[in-house]
């Protein structure tokens, strides 16, 4: 019984998809950090208090 050849088409697509997803999440994280760094401390406190108010509702 001859062995089947491995799927040479599907694996690279899956790997590329995982890599693209990882890079997209890394970019979101980096830009979110930049945005937080640019905000004034007062703005950050206001945003945090708004989030806490939403959680309590």
């Amino acid at each position: 019984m001859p062995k089947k050849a491995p799927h040479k088409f599907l694996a690279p697509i899956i790997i590329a998809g995982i890599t693209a997803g990882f890079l997209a999440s890394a970019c979101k994280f980096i830009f979110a950090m930049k945005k937080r760094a640019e905000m004034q401390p007062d703005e950050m406190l206001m945003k945090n208090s708004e989030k806490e108010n939403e959680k309590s509702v």
Side-chain angles (χ1 to χ4, degrees):
M1 193 187 273
K3 291 184 177 182
K4 289 184 177 182
H7 296 287
K8 294 182 179 179
F9 181 72
L10 189 60
I13 291 174
I14 293 171
I15 292 169
I18 292 170
T19 304
F22 178 75
L23 289 174
S25 64
C27 286
K28 285 182 183 179
F29 179 75
I30 290 169
F31 288 119
M33 297 246 328
K34 279 186 179 180
K35 209 175 213 182
R36 270 188 249 138
E38 290 173 356
M39 290 174 72
Q40 298 295 329
D42 295 337
E43 292 174 351
M44 288 180 69
L45 290 173
M46 287 174 56
K47 269 200 163 189
N48 289 337
S49 64
E50 287 175 3
K51 286 182 183 179
E52 289 175 6
N53 289 340
E54 289 175 2
K55 287 180 183 177
S56 63
V57 173

